[in-house]
Amino acid sequence: KAGVTQTPRYLIKTRGQQVTLSCSPISGHRSVSWYQQTPGQGLQFLFEYFSETQRNKGNFPGRFSGRQFSNSRSEMNVSTLELGDSALYLCASKPQENSYNEQFFGPGTRLTVL
Amino acid sequence: AQTVTQSQPEMSVQEAETVTLSCTYDTSESDYYLFWYKQPPSRQMILVIRQEAYKQQNATENRFSVNFQKAAKSFSLKISDSQLGDAAMYFCAYRSASSEKLVFGKGTKLTVNP
C-alpha cells in the first residue's frame, strides 16, 4: 500500500496570504489528523476528521480550518498567514476511529511565511 | 488537560550500547495509550512501540522495550544494541482511548556515536 502523501512538500508564502495543504491517507483509512510542528512549540494537534466530520479540534485560531472529502482525502487551510505559522504540517491517517491501531504519518508540508 | 514531559532534550550513546529515554505524563483518565515515535532527520515519523494502559506487561519490539509505571505515570524507552540508524528525534505521545488526538512531548534528540 502507498503511504500517506502530502502535497505540496514545500511552500513559501507571504504574510496575509492564504494557503491550502492536501493530505491523501493510506487506502482504506478513514481517520485523518493534522499536526503542526515547530521548534518552539513542538508537535501540536490541529484537528481530526473521520468520515467527513471534524471529531476533535486543537487550540488554534479560527484562521486554521480543514475538511475531509468522501474519499477520505483531507485539506487544511490557513488564512491571513502570520510569520508564526511557519512550520512543518504533518498529516496522519488511521484505519478507524478510537482503535488501538497506530496513526501513520506523512512526510509533511514545510510552510515558510515571509 | 493531558501533558507529556520528556526531560532529556538530547542524549548520546555509543554504538552497540544501551540507552534509556525518559517520559512522564499527566492524566486523570484510566483508559489510554502511550507511544514512542521516531523522527529521523528529514524523514517521516514512524511508530517505534506502543503500550495500552490496562496492560501491566511492558511492550517490547525487538531491540526496543518500555518500562511502563502506571502509578508513577512514567513511560521510558530502552534501546538495546544501539545502531547508527537509531539516531533520530524520539517523541513520547499520549492518546486517550476516546480520542484520536496525540499529545506529544518535546522530544529527545538521540545521537549514536560509532
Side-chain angles (χ1 to χ4, degrees), chain A residues 73-92:
Chain A
R73 189 177 70 85
S74 178
E75 289 181 346
M76 68 163 281
N77 184 277
V78 188
S79 62
T80 318
L81 284 166
E82 300 177 359
L83 295 179
D85 297 333
S86 294
L88 180 66
Y89 290 88
L90 296 172
C91 165

Side-chain angles (χ1 to χ4, degrees), chain B residues 28-94:
Chain B
S28 58
E29 298 179 317
S30 59
D31 196 8
Y32 54 87
Y33 307 112
L34 296 167
F35 305 86
W36 279 98
Y37 279 91
K38 169 185 177 182
Q39 189 178 39
S42 301
R43 292 179 62 186
Q44 288 173 234
M45 189 165 329
I46 58 172
L47 179 70
V48 174
I49 197 166
R50 58 188 167 191
Q51 175 83 41
E52 295 160 291
Y54 68 84
K55 286 188 175 179
Q56 291 187 334
Q57 186 174 8
N58 290 323
T60 62
E61 288 286 344
N62 301 313
R63 299 182 294 107
F64 300 87
S65 62
V66 298
N67 183 2
F68 175 46
Q69 301 290 327
K70 191 172 184 178
K73 295 180 182 175
S74 171
F75 183 61
S76 61
L77 173 70
K78 185 172 82 170
I79 306 173
S80 304
D81 185 25
S82 296
Q83 300 175 0
L84 295 178
D86 295 333
M89 282 292 290
Y90 285 81
F91 294 96
C92 179
Y94 168 100

Side-chain angles (χ1 to χ4, degrees), chain A residues 24-35:
Chain A
S24 292
I26 292 171
S27 178
H29 287 196
R30 298 167 64 190
S31 171
V32 174
S33 298
W34 288 88
Y35 294 85

Side-chain angles (χ1 to χ4, degrees), chain A residues 1-85:
Chain A
K1 276 186 180 179
V4 177
T5 57
Q6 293 187 244
T7 56
R9 292 292 310 278
Y10 302 90
L11 206 49
I12 299 176
K13 292 285 188 179
T14 56
R15 279 179 298 173
Q17 285 188 310
Q18 171 182 289
V19 68
T20 299
L21 311 181
S22 181
C23 171
S24 292
I26 292 171
S27 178
H29 287 196
R30 298 167 64 190
S31 171
V32 174
S33 298
W34 288 88
Y35 294 85
Q36 182 196 64
Q37 185 175 19
T38 61
Q41 299 299 315
L43 283 148
Q44 294 186 288
F45 173 79
L46 281 156
F47 25 65
E48 183 254 341
Y49 288 88
F50 181 83
S51 292
E52 302 179 67
T53 300
Q54 186 180 88
R55 299 299 301 265
N56 290 288
K57 190 177 191 305
N59 188 26
F60 279 82
R63 300 185 297 107
F64 291 81
S65 63
R67 60 178 174 169
Q68 186 180 34
F69 302 95
S70 58
N71 62 357
S72 294
R73 189 177 70 85
S74 178
E75 289 181 346
M76 68 163 281
N77 184 277
V78 188
S79 62
T80 318
L81 284 166
E82 300 177 359
L83 295 179
D85 297 333

